[in-house]
Amino acid sequence: MVVLFNNKKPILCLLLLATLITLSLGQGTRLGFYRTSCPRVESIVQNAVNSAVRANPTIAPGLLRMFFHDCFVNGCDASILIDGASSEKTARPNSLLRGFEVIDAAKRQLEIACPRVVSCADILALAARDSVVQTGGTGWSVPLGRRDGLVSRAADTANLPAFNDPINVQIRKFTDKGLNTQDLVALSGAHTIGTAACALFSYRLYNYNNTNGPDPTIDASFLPTLRNLCPNGGDGTTRVTLDTGSVRNFDNSYYSNLRNRRGVLESDAALWNNPATQTLVNRFLGLRGLLGLRFNIEFGRSMVKMGNIEVKTGTQGEIRRVCTATN
């Protein structure tokens, strides 16, 4: 049954009630969340990120990856920041993450400016955006209002997207989080400023799938470069850029490398070897005859979508005093 009101007050009351219910159930983030409670939040986080990235450029991809790994495990709730013997931070996929000290520094400043107001989850979301801007990418407005999670378990990281996932597994993992194939290809573009340890891809260079040869999808002229950087049986911790020739610039050259069969990680190379994702790669490159996609714009849109995965808002979770421990 639909009831119509001539008097505006009942309608306003119902709208207010619906808003309160939405907030209490923790549905959604919004722009301007801290406009009155902590108006300097974005500048404080930005200053912390800019200072860190200027001192150490590898912090930028570290913060981006940290946000990605946080959101894909029980939602964007800063559970990845919690210390502990069996916390997410200790899991193998997170063992090489960097930039935790940047989030801690921003949190300390925010606790001085507006105590117990800004969540660590929101700090991480802003820091990821600011890392992109600091490396030459285009910024985007970040909806805020996340609250911090109370649980952090290393075992929960088992289903994170992996460096050797075939394309169908990648698509499924993104779909499970409400992200589509375009989001997958767009967010993979974060590798334009990324690096990877030799241990994560050197198996492609020598005895791929027990063939006594390299992965045949690697450009033959690129293979000697990778083998020089990662000798057979060499140091697996040596890091190699994922976007040859443009690792310090947030741009779409990553997709050019995929097209030229110079994807370093097997999961990256898979984007070119599948017809659906290959079409999206070409659209991000603006190839003639295809409806182009502006990488910087679409990356920001996909980051906003990812940043709303299973968020805790309203009365869910908490606002931590420090990011490394629950209250």
Side-chain angles (χ1 to χ4, degrees), residues 7 22 48 52 82 89 98 139 169 310:
N7 188 320
T22 297
I82 295 175
K89 191 184 288 188
R98 61 188 69 191
V169 174
E310 300 167 29

Side-chain angles (χ1 to χ4, degrees), residues 221-273:
S221 65
F222 187 47
L223 187 61
T225 299
L226 293 178
R227 285 178 165 175
N228 285 336
L229 293 167
C230 302
N232 197 9
D235 183 358
T237 65
T238 299
R239 302 197 70 82
V240 174
T241 62
L242 296 176
D243 186 6
T244 304
S246 185
V247 70
R248 294 288 181 257
N249 300 312
F250 200 91
D251 55 27
N252 72 344
S253 65
Y254 161 81
Y255 300 107
S256 295
N257 278 310
L258 296 187
R259 182 185 59 192
N260 294 329
R261 297 190 296 123
R262 295 188 169 207
V264 175
L265 298 177
E266 189 167 15
S267 58
D268 284 347
L271 299 178
W272 183 252
N273 299 328

Side-chain angles (χ1 to χ4, degrees), residues 82-141:
I82 295 175
D83 288 338
S86 59
S87 69
E88 289 175 36
K89 191 184 288 188
T90 67
R92 187 175 181 182
N94 297 329
S95 61
L96 297 178
L97 287 179
R98 61 188 69 191
F100 292 104
E101 70 280 4
V102 181
I103 306 301
D104 293 338
K107 179 63 171 175
R108 285 192 296 271
Q109 292 298 313
L110 286 166
E111 285 300 300
I112 294 171
C114 28
R116 301 295 302 278
V117 170
V118 180
S119 68
C120 300
D122 277 344
I123 295 172
L124 184 50
L126 289 169
R129 187 269 313 272
D130 295 339
S131 295
V132 170
V133 174
Q134 184 67 9
T135 50
T138 301
W140 59 91
S141 298

Side-chain angles (χ1 to χ4, degrees), residues 1-2 10 33 39 56 75 99 106 120 143 152-153 155 205 248 250 315:
M1 180 177 67
V2 178
F33 184 83
N56 180 3
C120 300
S152 181
R153 294 181 294 253
L205 309 181
R248 294 288 181 257
F250 200 91
T315 58

Side-chain angles (χ1 to χ4, degrees), residues 63-246:
L63 290 171
L64 257 181
R65 185 168 175 239
M66 189 188 302
F67 185 53
F68 182 92
H69 282 213
D70 184 49
C71 290
F72 264 76
V73 179
N74 300 322
C76 310
D77 65 353
S79 53
I80 199 168
L81 304 177
I82 295 175
D83 288 338
S86 59
S87 69
E88 289 175 36
K89 191 184 288 188
T90 67
R92 187 175 181 182
N94 297 329
S95 61
L96 297 178
L97 287 179
R98 61 188 69 191
F100 292 104
E101 70 280 4
V102 181
I103 306 301
D104 293 338
K107 179 63 171 175
R108 285 192 296 271
Q109 292 298 313
L110 286 166
E111 285 300 300
I112 294 171
C114 28
R116 301 295 302 278
V117 170
V118 180
S119 68
C120 300
D122 277 344
I123 295 172
L124 184 50
L126 289 169
R129 187 269 313 272
D130 295 339
S131 295
V132 170
V133 174
Q134 184 67 9
T135 50
T138 301
W140 59 91
S141 298
V142 179
L144 301 171
R146 300 166 189 81
R147 287 170 66 86
D148 298 322
L150 302 173
V151 176
S152 181
R153 294 181 294 253
D156 291 342
T157 67
N159 208 38
L160 273 170
F163 62 89
N164 58 350
D165 278 345
I167 193 63
N168 62 312
V169 174
Q170 294 185 62
I171 291 172
R172 175 180 57 77
K173 288 181 177 180
F174 273 67
T175 300
D176 288 346
K177 298 299 180 181
L179 302 173
N180 60 32
T181 305
Q182 181 173 311
D183 296 318
L184 163 62
V185 179
L187 292 172
S188 296
H191 288 170
T192 184
I193 56 170
T195 63
C198 288
L200 298 184
F201 65 88
S202 58
Y203 68 91
R204 301 182 66 208
L205 309 181
Y206 299 100
N207 188 27
Y208 181 69
N209 288 344
N210 297 314
T211 60
N212 292 320
D215 182 341
T217 66
I218 300 175
D219 173 27
S221 65
F222 187 47
L223 187 61
T225 299
L226 293 178
R227 285 178 165 175
N228 285 336
L229 293 167
C230 302
N232 197 9
D235 183 358
T237 65
T238 299
R239 302 197 70 82
V240 174
T241 62
L242 296 176
D243 186 6
T244 304
S246 185

